[in-house]
PDB file of all heavy atoms in Angstrom:
ATOM      1  N   SER A   1      25.916 -15.417   8.924  1.00  0.00           N
ATOM      2  CA  SER A   1      25.419 -14.070   8.668  1.00  0.00           C
ATOM      3  C   SER A   1      26.583 -13.200   8.224  1.00  0.00           C
ATOM      4  O   SER A   1      27.732 -13.492   8.516  1.00  0.00           O
ATOM      5  CB  SER A   1      24.761 -13.483   9.922  1.00  0.00           C
ATOM      6  OG  SER A   1      25.731 -13.282  10.923  1.00  0.00           O
ATOM      7  N   ALA A   2      26.252 -12.156   7.518  1.00  0.00           N
ATOM      8  CA  ALA A   2      27.265 -11.216   7.057  1.00  0.00           C
ATOM      9  C   ALA A   2      26.595  -9.877   6.803  1.00  0.00           C
ATOM     10  O   ALA A   2      25.391  -9.800   6.583  1.00  0.00           O
ATOM     11  CB  ALA A   2      27.917 -11.720   5.775  1.00  0.00           C
ATOM     12  N   SER A   3      27.386  -8.848   6.858  1.00  0.00           N
ATOM     13  CA  SER A   3      26.910  -7.514   6.544  1.00  0.00           C
ATOM     14  C   SER A   3      27.750  -6.973   5.402  1.00  0.00           C
ATOM     15  O   SER A   3      28.976  -7.061   5.445  1.00  0.00           O
ATOM     16  CB  SER A   3      27.066  -6.588   7.752  1.00  0.00           C
ATOM     17  OG  SER A   3      26.297  -7.044   8.819  1.00  0.00           O
ATOM     18  N   PRO A   4      27.120  -6.441   4.370  1.00  0.00           N
ATOM     19  CA  PRO A   4      27.913  -5.867   3.281  1.00  0.00           C
ATOM     20  C   PRO A   4      28.683  -4.647   3.757  1.00  0.00           C
ATOM     21  O   PRO A   4      28.198  -3.880   4.588  1.00  0.00           O
ATOM     22  CB  PRO A   4      26.872  -5.505   2.229  1.00  0.00           C
ATOM     23  CG  PRO A   4      25.585  -5.406   2.964  1.00  0.00           C
ATOM     24  CD  PRO A   4      25.689  -6.308   4.158  1.00  0.00           C
ATOM     25  N   VAL A   5      29.881  -4.498   3.238  1.00  0.00           N
ATOM     26  CA  VAL A   5      30.731  -3.370   3.588  1.00  0.00           C
ATOM     27  C   VAL A   5      31.166  -2.716   2.297  1.00  0.00           C
ATOM     28  O   VAL A   5      31.730  -3.359   1.417  1.00  0.00           O
ATOM     29  CB  VAL A   5      31.969  -3.831   4.379  1.00  0.00           C
ATOM     30  CG1 VAL A   5      32.860  -2.659   4.722  1.00  0.00           C
ATOM     31  CG2 VAL A   5      31.564  -4.600   5.617  1.00  0.00           C
ATOM     32  N   TRP A   6      30.882  -1.442   2.167  1.00  0.00           N
ATOM     33  CA  TRP A   6      31.278  -0.703   0.965  1.00  0.00           C
ATOM     34  C   TRP A   6      31.300   0.781   1.286  1.00  0.00           C
ATOM     35  O   TRP A   6      30.908   1.181   2.375  1.00  0.00           O
ATOM     36  CB  TRP A   6      30.337  -1.008  -0.203  1.00  0.00           C
ATOM     37  CG  TRP A   6      30.889  -0.586  -1.527  1.00  0.00           C
ATOM     38  CD1 TRP A   6      30.367   0.343  -2.370  1.00  0.00           C
ATOM     39  CD2 TRP A   6      32.070  -1.075  -2.170  1.00  0.00           C
ATOM     40  NE1 TRP A   6      31.150   0.470  -3.489  1.00  0.00           N
ATOM     41  CE2 TRP A   6      32.208  -0.399  -3.390  1.00  0.00           C
ATOM     42  CE3 TRP A   6      33.046  -2.011  -1.821  1.00  0.00           C
ATOM     43  CZ2 TRP A   6      33.264  -0.618  -4.264  1.00  0.00           C
ATOM     44  CZ3 TRP A   6      34.093  -2.239  -2.693  1.00  0.00           C
ATOM     45  CH2 TRP A   6      34.184  -1.553  -3.907  1.00  0.00           C
ATOM     46  N   VAL A   7      31.724   1.587   0.359  1.00  0.00           N
ATOM     47  CA  VAL A   7      31.778   3.029   0.537  1.00  0.00           C
ATOM     48  C   VAL A   7      30.343   3.550   0.664  1.00  0.00           C
ATOM     49  O   VAL A   7      29.486   3.237  -0.163  1.00  0.00           O
ATOM     50  CB  VAL A   7      32.492   3.704  -0.659  1.00  0.00           C
ATOM     51  CG1 VAL A   7      32.523   5.208  -0.496  1.00  0.00           C
ATOM     52  CG2 VAL A   7      33.889   3.129  -0.826  1.00  0.00           C
ATOM     53  N   LYS A   8      30.103   4.359   1.691  1.00  0.00           N
ATOM     54  CA  LYS A   8      28.759   4.856   1.961  1.00  0.00           C
ATOM     55  C   LYS A   8      28.212   5.623   0.753  1.00  0.00           C
ATOM     56  O   LYS A   8      28.893   6.459   0.170  1.00  0.00           O
ATOM     57  CB  LYS A   8      28.772   5.772   3.189  1.00  0.00           C
ATOM     58  CG  LYS A   8      27.397   6.229   3.594  1.00  0.00           C
ATOM     59  CD  LYS A   8      27.438   7.048   4.860  1.00  0.00           C
ATOM     60  CE  LYS A   8      26.029   7.478   5.210  1.00  0.00           C
ATOM     61  NZ  LYS A   8      25.997   8.254   6.437  1.00  0.00           N
ATOM     62  N   ASP A   9      26.983   5.314   0.385  1.00  0.00           N
ATOM     63  CA  ASP A   9      26.252   5.958  -0.711  1.00  0.00           C
ATOM     64  C   ASP A   9      26.908   5.756  -2.076  1.00  0.00           C
ATOM     65  O   ASP A   9      26.661   6.525  -3.004  1.00  0.00           O
ATOM     66  CB  ASP A   9      26.068   7.456  -0.451  1.00  0.00           C
ATOM     67  CG  ASP A   9      25.259   7.723   0.810  1.00  0.00           C
ATOM     68  OD1 ASP A   9      24.340   6.925   1.091  1.00  0.00           O
ATOM     69  OD2 ASP A   9      25.552   8.708   1.509  1.00  0.00           O
ATOM     70  N   ALA A  10      27.747   4.726  -2.232  1.00  0.00           N
ATOM     71  CA  ALA A  10      28.408   4.476  -3.522  1.00  0.00           C
ATOM     72  C   ALA A  10      28.120   3.073  -4.040  1.00  0.00           C
ATOM     73  O   ALA A  10      28.848   2.563  -4.884  1.00  0.00           O
ATOM     74  CB  ALA A  10      29.906   4.694  -3.390  1.00  0.00           C
ATOM     75  N   GLU A  11      27.050   2.457  -3.566  1.00  0.00           N
ATOM     76  CA  GLU A  11      26.731   1.086  -3.960  1.00  0.00           C
ATOM     77  C   GLU A  11      26.495   0.933  -5.455  1.00  0.00           C
ATOM     78  O   GLU A  11      26.762  -0.099  -6.039  1.00  0.00           O
ATOM     79  CB  GLU A  11      25.504   0.569  -3.192  1.00  0.00           C
ATOM     80  CG  GLU A  11      25.727   0.408  -1.712  1.00  0.00           C
ATOM     81  CD  GLU A  11      25.485   1.697  -0.937  1.00  0.00           C
ATOM     82  OE1 GLU A  11      25.100   2.721  -1.558  1.00  0.00           O
ATOM     83  OE2 GLU A  11      25.689   1.693   0.281  1.00  0.00           O
ATOM     84  N   GLU A  12      25.979   1.964  -6.094  1.00  0.00           N
ATOM     85  CA  GLU A  12      25.663   1.902  -7.521  1.00  0.00           C
ATOM     86  C   GLU A  12      26.758   2.507  -8.406  1.00  0.00           C
ATOM     87  O   GLU A  12      26.650   2.485  -9.628  1.00  0.00           O
ATOM     88  CB  GLU A  12      24.330   2.611  -7.793  1.00  0.00           C
ATOM     89  CG  GLU A  12      23.156   2.037  -7.020  1.00  0.00           C
ATOM     90  CD  GLU A  12      22.879   0.578  -7.376  1.00  0.00           C
ATOM     91  OE1 GLU A  12      22.975   0.226  -8.563  1.00  0.00           O
ATOM     92  OE2 GLU A  12      22.571  -0.209  -6.446  1.00  0.00           O
ATOM     93  N   GLU A  13      27.791   3.059  -7.809  1.00  0.00           N
ATOM     94  CA  GLU A  13      28.872   3.685  -8.558  1.00  0.00           C
ATOM     95  C   GLU A  13      29.787   2.619  -9.168  1.00  0.00           C
ATOM     96  O   GLU A  13      29.886   1.514  -8.653  1.00  0.00           O
ATOM     97  CB  GLU A  13      29.698   4.595  -7.651  1.00  0.00           C
ATOM     98  CG  GLU A  13      28.918   5.720  -7.021  1.00  0.00           C
ATOM     99  CD  GLU A  13      28.452   6.757  -8.034  1.00  0.00           C
ATOM    100  OE1 GLU A  13      29.177   7.008  -9.000  1.00  0.00           O
ATOM    101  OE2 GLU A  13      27.355   7.306  -7.837  1.00  0.00           O
ATOM    102  N   ILE A  14      30.449   2.965 -10.271  1.00  0.00           N
ATOM    103  CA  ILE A  14      31.438   2.072 -10.862  1.00  0.00           C
ATOM    104  C   ILE A  14      32.819   2.703 -10.740  1.00  0.00           C
ATOM    105  O   ILE A  14      32.942   3.894 -10.447  1.00  0.00           O
ATOM    106  CB  ILE A  14      31.107   1.746 -12.338  1.00  0.00           C
ATOM    107  CG1 ILE A  14      31.094   3.016 -13.180  1.00  0.00           C
ATOM    108  CG2 ILE A  14      29.798   0.992 -12.448  1.00  0.00           C
ATOM    109  CD1 ILE A  14      30.971   2.761 -14.670  1.00  0.00           C
ATOM    110  N   ASN A  15      33.833   1.894 -10.948  1.00  0.00           N
ATOM    111  CA  ASN A  15      35.227   2.339 -10.867  1.00  0.00           C
ATOM    112  C   ASN A  15      35.577   2.916  -9.501  1.00  0.00           C
ATOM    113  O   ASN A  15      36.260   3.921  -9.390  1.00  0.00           O
ATOM    114  CB  ASN A  15      35.553   3.349 -11.972  1.00  0.00           C
ATOM    115  CG  ASN A  15      35.413   2.729 -13.344  1.00  0.00           C
ATOM    116  OD1 ASN A  15      35.753   1.563 -13.531  1.00  0.00           O
ATOM    117  ND2 ASN A  15      34.908   3.487 -14.285  1.00  0.00           N
ATOM    118  N   ILE A  16      35.099   2.269  -8.456  1.00  0.00           N
ATOM    119  CA  ILE A  16      35.413   2.657  -7.085  1.00  0.00           C
ATOM    120  C   ILE A  16      36.516   1.733  -6.579  1.00  0.00           C
ATOM    121  O   ILE A  16      36.460   0.525  -6.756  1.00  0.00           O
ATOM    122  CB  ILE A  16      34.187   2.510  -6.164  1.00  0.00           C
ATOM    123  CG1 ILE A  16      33.043   3.397  -6.632  1.00  0.00           C
ATOM    124  CG2 ILE A  16      34.546   2.765  -4.716  1.00  0.00           C
ATOM    125  CD1 ILE A  16      33.234   4.856  -6.363  1.00  0.00           C
ATOM    126  N   THR A  17      37.527   2.310  -5.950  1.00  0.00           N
ATOM    127  CA  THR A  17      38.584   1.540  -5.306  1.00  0.00           C
ATOM    128  C   THR A  17      38.629   1.950  -3.848  1.00  0.00           C
ATOM    129  O   THR A  17      38.575   3.139  -3.526  1.00  0.00           O
ATOM    130  CB  THR A  17      39.950   1.817  -5.956  1.00  0.00           C
ATOM    131  OG1 THR A  17      39.876   1.485  -7.334  1.00  0.00           O
ATOM    132  CG2 THR A  17      41.038   0.998  -5.302  1.00  0.00           C
ATOM    133  N   CYS A  18      38.712   0.980  -2.958  1.00  0.00           N
ATOM    134  CA  CYS A  18      38.819   1.300  -1.541  1.00  0.00           C
ATOM    135  C   CYS A  18      39.645   0.230  -0.842  1.00  0.00           C
ATOM    136  O   CYS A  18      39.948  -0.811  -1.413  1.00  0.00           O
ATOM    137  CB  CYS A  18      37.441   1.451  -0.893  1.00  0.00           C
ATOM    138  SG  CYS A  18      36.433  -0.014  -0.940  1.00  0.00           S
ATOM    139  N   GLY A  19      40.010   0.507   0.384  1.00  0.00           N
ATOM    140  CA  GLY A  19      40.822  -0.431   1.136  1.00  0.00           C
ATOM    141  C   GLY A  19      40.235  -0.689   2.505  1.00  0.00           C
ATOM    142  O   GLY A  19      39.596   0.182   3.096  1.00  0.00           O
ATOM    143  N   PHE A  20      40.453  -1.902   2.981  1.00  0.00           N
ATOM    144  CA  PHE A  20      40.020  -2.301   4.316  1.00  0.00           C
ATOM    145  C   PHE A  20      41.233  -2.844   5.053  1.00  0.00           C
ATOM    146  O   PHE A  20      42.067  -3.528   4.463  1.00  0.00           O
ATOM    147  CB  PHE A  20      38.921  -3.364   4.231  1.00  0.00           C
ATOM    148  CG  PHE A  20      37.700  -2.890   3.508  1.00  0.00           C
ATOM    149  CD1 PHE A  20      37.538  -3.129   2.156  1.00  0.00           C
ATOM    150  CD2 PHE A  20      36.721  -2.180   4.179  1.00  0.00           C
ATOM    151  CE1 PHE A  20      36.418  -2.677   1.473  1.00  0.00           C
ATOM    152  CE2 PHE A  20      35.597  -1.717   3.508  1.00  0.00           C
ATOM    153  CZ  PHE A  20      35.448  -1.971   2.152  1.00  0.00           C
ATOM    154  N   TYR A  21      41.341  -2.533   6.333  1.00  0.00           N
ATOM    155  CA  TYR A  21      42.520  -2.915   7.101  1.00  0.00           C
ATOM    156  C   TYR A  21      42.111  -3.378   8.485  1.00  0.00           C
ATOM    157  O   TYR A  21      41.177  -2.839   9.090  1.00  0.00           O
ATOM    158  CB  TYR A  21      43.469  -1.716   7.231  1.00  0.00           C
ATOM    159  CG  TYR A  21      44.545  -1.936   8.257  1.00  0.00           C
ATOM    160  CD1 TYR A  21      45.696  -2.645   7.943  1.00  0.00           C
ATOM    161  CD2 TYR A  21      44.393  -1.464   9.555  1.00  0.00           C
ATOM    162  CE1 TYR A  21      46.670  -2.874   8.896  1.00  0.00           C
ATOM    163  CE2 TYR A  21      45.360  -1.683  10.517  1.00  0.00           C
ATOM    164  CZ  TYR A  21      46.494  -2.393  10.180  1.00  0.00           C
ATOM    165  OH  TYR A  21      47.449  -2.635  11.122  1.00  0.00           O
ATOM    166  N   THR A  22      42.827  -4.375   8.984  1.00  0.00           N
ATOM    167  CA  THR A  22      42.694  -4.782  10.381  1.00  0.00           C
ATOM    168  C   THR A  22      44.022  -5.356  10.844  1.00  0.00           C
ATOM    169  O   THR A  22      44.874  -5.717  10.030  1.00  0.00           O
ATOM    170  CB  THR A  22      41.554  -5.805  10.582  1.00  0.00           C
ATOM    171  OG1 THR A  22      41.295  -5.952  11.974  1.00  0.00           O
ATOM    172  CG2 THR A  22      41.898  -7.152   9.970  1.00  0.00           C
ATOM    173  N   ALA A  23      44.192  -5.429  12.132  1.00  0.00           N
ATOM    174  CA  ALA A  23      45.369  -6.063  12.728  1.00  0.00           C
ATOM    175  C   ALA A  23      44.867  -7.160  13.653  1.00  0.00           C
ATOM    176  O   ALA A  23      43.934  -6.937  14.436  1.00  0.00           O
ATOM    177  CB  ALA A  23      46.201  -5.047  13.495  1.00  0.00           C
ATOM    178  N   ILE A  24      45.462  -8.343  13.544  1.00  0.00           N
ATOM    179  CA  ILE A  24      45.037  -9.474  14.373  1.00  0.00           C
ATOM    180  C   ILE A  24      46.259 -10.128  15.012  1.00  0.00           C
ATOM    181  O   ILE A  24      47.345 -10.117  14.439  1.00  0.00           O
ATOM    182  CB  ILE A  24      44.244 -10.526  13.556  1.00  0.00           C
ATOM    183  CG1 ILE A  24      45.117 -11.154  12.463  1.00  0.00           C
ATOM    184  CG2 ILE A  24      42.979  -9.927  12.971  1.00  0.00           C
ATOM    185  CD1 ILE A  24      44.503 -12.383  11.819  1.00  0.00           C
ATOM    186  N   PRO A  25      46.073 -10.716  16.190  1.00  0.00           N
ATOM    187  CA  PRO A  25      47.189 -11.439  16.804  1.00  0.00           C
ATOM    188  C   PRO A  25      47.354 -12.807  16.161  1.00  0.00           C
ATOM    189  O   PRO A  25      46.418 -13.346  15.566  1.00  0.00           O
ATOM    190  CB  PRO A  25      46.758 -11.575  18.263  1.00  0.00           C
ATOM    191  CG  PRO A  25      45.265 -11.556  18.211  1.00  0.00           C
ATOM    192  CD  PRO A  25      44.897 -10.667  17.049  1.00  0.00           C
ATOM    193  N   ARG A  26      48.549 -13.343  16.255  1.00  0.00           N
ATOM    194  CA  ARG A  26      48.783 -14.698  15.775  1.00  0.00           C
ATOM    195  C   ARG A  26      48.147 -15.650  16.788  1.00  0.00           C
ATOM    196  O   ARG A  26      48.384 -15.563  17.977  1.00  0.00           O
ATOM    197  CB  ARG A  26      50.270 -14.982  15.656  1.00  0.00           C
ATOM    198  CG  ARG A  26      50.555 -16.394  15.180  1.00  0.00           C
ATOM    199  CD  ARG A  26      52.046 -16.637  15.020  1.00  0.00           C
ATOM    200  NE  ARG A  26      52.304 -18.010  14.694  1.00  0.00           N
ATOM    201  CZ  ARG A  26      52.319 -18.512  13.470  1.00  0.00           C
ATOM    202  NH1 ARG A  26      52.091 -17.714  12.455  1.00  0.00           N
ATOM    203  NH2 ARG A  26      52.557 -19.779  13.244  1.00  0.00           N
ATOM    204  N   GLY A  27      47.326 -16.548  16.298  1.00  0.00           N
ATOM    205  CA  GLY A  27      46.676 -17.521  17.164  1.00  0.00           C
ATOM    206  C   GLY A  27      47.481 -18.806  17.237  1.00  0.00           C
ATOM    207  O   GLY A  27      48.503 -18.964  16.570  1.00  0.00           O
ATOM    208  N   THR A  28      47.008 -19.713  18.040  1.00  0.00           N
ATOM    209  CA  THR A  28      47.666 -21.016  18.151  1.00  0.00           C
ATOM    210  C   THR A  28      46.967 -22.065  17.306  1.00  0.00           C
ATOM    211  O   THR A  28      47.497 -23.145  17.082  1.00  0.00           O
ATOM    212  CB  THR A  28      47.694 -21.488  19.616  1.00  0.00           C
ATOM    213  OG1 THR A  28      46.349 -21.516  20.111  1.00  0.00           O
ATOM    214  CG2 THR A  28      48.530 -20.548  20.460  1.00  0.00           C
ATOM    215  N   ASP A  29      45.771 -21.762  16.831  1.00  0.00           N
ATOM    216  CA  ASP A  29      44.998 -22.689  16.014  1.00  0.00           C
ATOM    217  C   ASP A  29      45.044 -22.280  14.549  1.00  0.00           C
ATOM    218  O   ASP A  29      45.599 -21.246  14.191  1.00  0.00           O
ATOM    219  CB  ASP A  29      43.531 -22.707  16.479  1.00  0.00           C
ATOM    220  CG  ASP A  29      43.399 -23.196  17.915  1.00  0.00           C
ATOM    221  OD1 ASP A  29      44.194 -24.054  18.319  1.00  0.00           O
ATOM    222  OD2 ASP A  29      42.503 -22.706  18.620  1.00  0.00           O
ATOM    223  N   GLN A  30      44.414 -23.076  13.719  1.00  0.00           N
ATOM    224  CA  GLN A  30      44.298 -22.751  12.296  1.00  0.00           C
ATOM    225  C   GLN A  30      43.524 -21.442  12.147  1.00  0.00           C
ATOM    226  O   GLN A  30      42.531 -21.207  12.820  1.00  0.00           O
ATOM    227  CB  GLN A  30      43.570 -23.866  11.559  1.00  0.00           C
ATOM    228  CG  GLN A  30      43.428 -23.610  10.082  1.00  0.00           C
ATOM    229  CD  GLN A  30      42.621 -24.694   9.379  1.00  0.00           C
ATOM    230  OE1 GLN A  30      41.712 -25.272   9.955  1.00  0.00           O
ATOM    231  NE2 GLN A  30      42.971 -24.971   8.137  1.00  0.00           N
ATOM    232  N   THR A  31      44.000 -20.583  11.252  1.00  0.00           N
ATOM    233  CA  THR A  31      43.345 -19.307  10.989  1.00  0.00           C
ATOM    234  C   THR A  31      42.908 -19.276   9.537  1.00  0.00           C
ATOM    235  O   THR A  31      43.740 -19.401   8.638  1.00  0.00           O
ATOM    236  CB  THR A  31      44.292 -18.126  11.276  1.00  0.00           C
ATOM    237  OG1 THR A  31      44.752 -18.225  12.627  1.00  0.00           O
ATOM    238  CG2 THR A  31      43.587 -16.806  11.077  1.00  0.00           C
ATOM    239  N   VAL A  32      41.618 -19.138   9.322  1.00  0.00           N
ATOM    240  CA  VAL A  32      41.058 -19.123   7.971  1.00  0.00           C
ATOM    241  C   VAL A  32      40.385 -17.771   7.755  1.00  0.00           C
ATOM    242  O   VAL A  32      39.540 -17.355   8.548  1.00  0.00           O
ATOM    243  CB  VAL A  32      40.043 -20.265   7.758  1.00  0.00           C
ATOM    244  CG1 VAL A  32      39.418 -20.185   6.387  1.00  0.00           C
ATOM    245  CG2 VAL A  32      40.722 -21.615   7.970  1.00  0.00           C
ATOM    246  N   LEU A  33      40.782 -17.101   6.698  1.00  0.00           N
ATOM    247  CA  LEU A  33      40.170 -15.831   6.316  1.00  0.00           C
ATOM    248  C   LEU A  33      39.091 -16.144   5.287  1.00  0.00           C
ATOM    249  O   LEU A  33      39.357 -16.801   4.282  1.00  0.00           O
ATOM    250  CB  LEU A  33      41.229 -14.905   5.723  1.00  0.00           C
ATOM    251  CG  LEU A  33      40.747 -13.543   5.257  1.00  0.00           C
ATOM    252  CD1 LEU A  33      40.229 -12.737   6.444  1.00  0.00           C
ATOM    253  CD2 LEU A  33      41.877 -12.805   4.585  1.00  0.00           C
ATOM    254  N   ARG A  34      37.871 -15.681   5.547  1.00  0.00           N
ATOM    255  CA  ARG A  34      36.750 -15.932   4.636  1.00  0.00           C
ATOM    256  C   ARG A  34      36.288 -14.602   4.056  1.00  0.00           C
ATOM    257  O   ARG A  34      36.009 -13.673   4.797  1.00  0.00           O
ATOM    258  CB  ARG A  34      35.615 -16.620   5.368  1.00  0.00           C
ATOM    259  CG  ARG A  34      35.973 -18.032   5.791  1.00  0.00           C
ATOM    260  CD  ARG A  34      34.864 -18.651   6.635  1.00  0.00           C
ATOM    261  NE  ARG A  34      35.142 -20.042   6.918  1.00  0.00           N
ATOM    262  CZ  ARG A  34      35.909 -20.462   7.918  1.00  0.00           C
ATOM    263  NH1 ARG A  34      36.467 -19.591   8.732  1.00  0.00           N
ATOM    264  NH2 ARG A  34      36.110 -21.744   8.109  1.00  0.00           N
TER     265      ARG A  34
END
């Protein structure tokens, strides 16, 4: 499952730039970003 993430009320707009940020700890297992 997934939820779309975008700028609120700008789904139909063009030329939009935005950024997403998170901080995560280093794990001991393989880490895969999807």
Side-chain angles (χ1 to χ4, degrees):
S1 67
S3 298
V5 179
W6 195 243
V7 179
K8 185 176 180 179
D9 299 325
E11 294 86 2
E12 302 298 320
E13 300 292 325
I14 61 172
N15 297 323
I16 299 286
T17 301
C18 62
F20 300 94
Y21 167 82
T22 192
I24 63 168
R26 179 178 175 87
T28 56
D29 298 327
Q30 181 184 33
T31 304
V32 177
L33 179 64
R34 292 175 174 84

